Amino acid sequence: MPGAVFLSYASQDSEAGRRIYEALGAAGIEVWFDRSELRGGDVWDRRIREQIHQCKLFMPIISANTEARVEGYFRREWKLAVERTHDRSERVAFLVPVVIDSTAEQLADVPDAFRHVQWTRLPNGETPQGLVDRIRRLLTPEGSFGADRARVPVNNVVTGTLSPPGVTRRQRIQYVRAADGTRLAWAQAGAGQSLVKAANWLTHLEYDWTSPVWRHWIQFFSTHFQFTRYDERGCGMSEWRAGALTLEEWTADLELVIFTAQIDSPVTLLGISQGAAACIQYAVMHPERVARMILYGGYARGAFRRGDVAAQRAYRAMVELAETSWEASNSAFRQVFTSRFIPGASPEQLQWFNELCTKSTVGEVAGKLMHARAEVDIGDLLPRVRTPTLVLHSRNDEVVPISEGQCLATEIEGAEFIELDSRNHVLLEHEPAWFRFQEEVLAFVR
């Protein structure tokens, strides 16, 4: 009987393949894996063609080993799988690529069809329960329709995922004016339950859409939710010469975007870094409008409110340098600044973040924004939160210490805390912590 999942891999990756096979098999999922399924006397090529033709999901394992081999039987399997997609509706999931090491998706030597679907990272083939559950869903008739279609950004158009046949989905950017006249840019993509991300440092709605730092965040949230986000006042596509930069304005801007987006049902709020403070204040003000909160890398106390004199001095120096050196042609300061946010980044990602600095604001405003964040102190609000809350924080975050995330989880009644194995303030696509983040978020919102 053909396996429901066909596992394709280079021979050097057989151990990783075995781990995936065993994890899926333990859950009662049929897997075609040649070490255990190929019987003596089978005609190899004919048997493989039959299995690929009859399987329900095709799972290619991508790695440095497949990258190193320009020839190999796994490449024939990949081509056969792609050929089969030509006869299938685009609404039906079939390709489920997995990466078992740090191989970059955008540079991988794979068929173009693989790039049109969502990839999953399974370091060394270690398979979490979240992936097993996802495969089980995809094998059901209702789960296979569109459930695993990822989206390929082309300018501002996104194709695939949960759209009806023949419909392309796109990011839609609009403007709204705040009460003080500040022009705010906001965007929406995806379908499903509403999730709104409070503004955080640094963003640009257009530039982030295809960026190597934020793209996977946008893809994940707009795949599973109607995802609404906006550039904060003074930043990105919003007005740079903004009015007041205080928590009150930030919370009012969040409220304005939710109102403008015409979100009527209770919303899931996503607060990243200083965005957590605006989410918390909004949830305390309007508990009936918030279904749940997801806080990542957040804090209740800014750098000037944590009682760490040495850290305060270092932060004041960063503010002064931002005001004087932000637009300098020599990016040495920006390199120091951005490397704190993503110390595990590739040169390409660091370069992109460096460019984001000057594309998203000017030095004068950057300094004001940094100073305003440092003055935040909403400790008195935390015990008043009645909204289900998930707090996630990177263990070795160099921008916001993990103790701040632990403080949020301690003071917010009933909050769940997840410690992520990362140094990055912005989780990068290749790291296991990003997969853990996705898994925990989806489990929390179910």
Side-chain angles (χ1 to χ4, degrees):
M1 182 177 181
V5 178
F6 186 103
L7 203 56
S8 174
Y9 60 94
S11 58
Q12 297 94 325
D13 295 326
S14 60
E15 276 304 300
R18 181 185 57 77
R19 293 188 184 100
I20 298 171
Y21 163 73
E22 291 178 349
L24 296 179
I29 298 171
E30 289 184 89
V31 182
W32 194 90
F33 180 66
D34 66 77
R35 282 181 57 183
S36 60
E37 290 295 323
L38 191 62
R39 306 289 194 265
D42 284 335
V43 179
W44 177 270
D45 189 70
R46 177 178 59 81
R47 182 70 182 277
I48 283 184
R49 288 176 182 273
E50 289 176 354
Q51 293 287 350
I52 293 175
H53 180 72
Q54 297 176 34
C55 69
K56 294 181 180 178
L57 294 174
F58 182 86
M59 183 178 288
I61 295 178
I62 299 159
S63 68
N65 291 319
T66 59
E67 288 296 287
R69 294 179 58 182
V70 296
E71 294 184 358
Y73 204 91
F74 66 88
R75 292 199 177 275
R76 183 181 300 186
E77 295 171 353
W78 291 3
K79 290 178 181 178
L80 291 170
V82 170
E83 287 176 7
R84 187 174 170 199
T85 66
H86 298 162
D87 300 323
R88 295 170 63 90
S89 167
E90 292 188 358
R91 296 174 61 200
V92 180
F94 179 61
L95 299 173
V96 187
V98 299
V99 189
I100 59 171
D101 54 23
S102 61
T103 299
E105 176 181 341
Q106 60 270 32
L107 301 177
D109 182 11
V110 298
D112 286 342
F114 288 12
R115 303 184 195 282
H116 296 174
V117 295
Q118 180 179 338
W119 291 29
T120 298
R121 290 194 178 270
L122 304 179
N124 299 317
E126 297 296 338
T127 307
Q129 186 60 42
L131 178 68
V132 175
D133 293 342
R134 175 177 154 221
I135 295 300
R136 187 183 286 113
R137 287 194 302 271
L138 291 176
L139 291 173
T140 63
E142 61 274 15
S144 66
F145 278 85
D148 209 48
R149 296 292 299 171
R151 296 178 320 278
V152 182
V154 183
N155 296 323
N156 255 357
V157 176
V158 174
T159 60
T161 190
L162 300 176
S163 303
V167 175
T168 58
R169 293 177 47 212
R170 58 193 290 273
Q171 170 178 247
R172 186 182 184 195
I173 299 175
Q174 297 179 277
Y175 281 95
V176 63
R177 284 198 182 277
D180 64 357
T182 301
R183 188 176 62 251
L184 300 175
W186 66 282
Q188 199 169 70
Q193 61 177 295
S194 296
L195 184 145
V196 178
K197 181 176 79 69
N200 60 272
W201 176 278
L202 288 153
T203 65
H204 187 293
L205 294 179
E206 188 84 48
Y207 197 44
D208 293 348
W209 186 253
T210 57
S211 85
V213 174
W214 284 115
R215 178 182 59 220
H216 55 290
W217 287 76
I218 299 170
Q219 289 180 345
F220 168 66
F221 283 108
S222 59
T223 293
H224 296 282
F225 305 91
Q226 181 190 63
F227 183 43
T228 304
R229 61 198 176 98
Y230 59 100
D231 287 333
E232 69 177 318
R233 51 178 55 219
C235 189
M237 296 178 68
S238 291
E239 190 169 351
W240 287 11
R241 304 298 178 181
L245 300 174
T246 67
L247 178 59
E248 286 65 36
E249 274 69 33
W250 296 335
T251 306
D253 292 345
L254 171 60
E255 184 169 7
L256 175 62
V257 169
I258 292 174
F259 174 80
T260 305
Q262 299 182 342
I263 300 172
D264 299 322
S265 58
V267 66
T268 297
L269 293 179
L270 171 63
I272 299 174
S273 197
Q274 83 280 356
C279 289
I280 290 166
Q281 186 167 67
Y282 182 88
V284 169
M285 293 168 56
H286 306 291
E288 75 287 353
R289 300 182 192 173
V290 185
R292 61 189 67 82
M293 283 194 297
I294 301 166
L295 308 178
Y296 167 73
Y299 54 89
R301 304 170 300 176
F304 294 165
R305 302 292 182 174
R306 297 172 190 160
D308 187 332
V309 176
Q312 289 178 22
R313 284 201 301 266
Y315 193 93
R316 291 185 193 280
M318 292 288 286
V319 172
E320 184 175 346
L321 280 169
E323 292 172 338
T324 59
S325 306
W326 195 263
E327 293 105 334
S329 56
N330 184 334
S331 65
F333 161 72
R334 294 195 302 277
Q335 184 77 11
V336 171
F337 177 80
T338 60
S339 63
R340 295 172 62 244
F341 283 80
I342 44 175
S346 66
E348 177 203 8
Q349 290 165 326
L350 283 173
Q351 177 62 30
W352 180 90
F353 213 91
N354 286 339
E355 293 174 2
L356 174 65
C357 291
T358 55
K359 287 179 182 288
S360 59
T361 195
V362 292
E364 177 189 355
V365 179
K368 290 179 179 178
L369 285 167
M370 291 176 68
H371 192 277
R373 284 148 171 58
E375 296 288 359
V376 166
D377 190 346
I378 58 163
D380 61 321
L381 294 181
L382 301 185
R384 297 167 58 189
V385 174
R386 294 295 178 265
T387 302
T389 302
L390 175 66
V391 180
L392 307 102
H393 212 105
S394 292
R395 181 178 303 125
N396 298 306
D397 190 332
E398 296 185 18
V399 176
V400 179
I402 192 172
S403 57
E404 290 302 310
Q406 293 166 335
C407 174
L408 293 176
T410 301
E411 299 301 324
I412 296 176
E413 184 178 352
E416 179 181 355
F417 183 75
I418 302 295
E419 181 176 313
L420 299 170
D421 185 13
S422 178
R423 296 187 299 151
N424 296 310
H425 189 57
V426 180
L427 294 175
L428 300 174
E429 185 177 15
H430 69 274
E431 57 182 326
W434 170 242
F435 185 84
R436 174 88 188 281
F437 175 91
Q438 296 174 82
E439 189 176 49
E440 296 294 346
V441 166
L442 292 180
F444 178 66
V445 301
R446 288 193 185 117

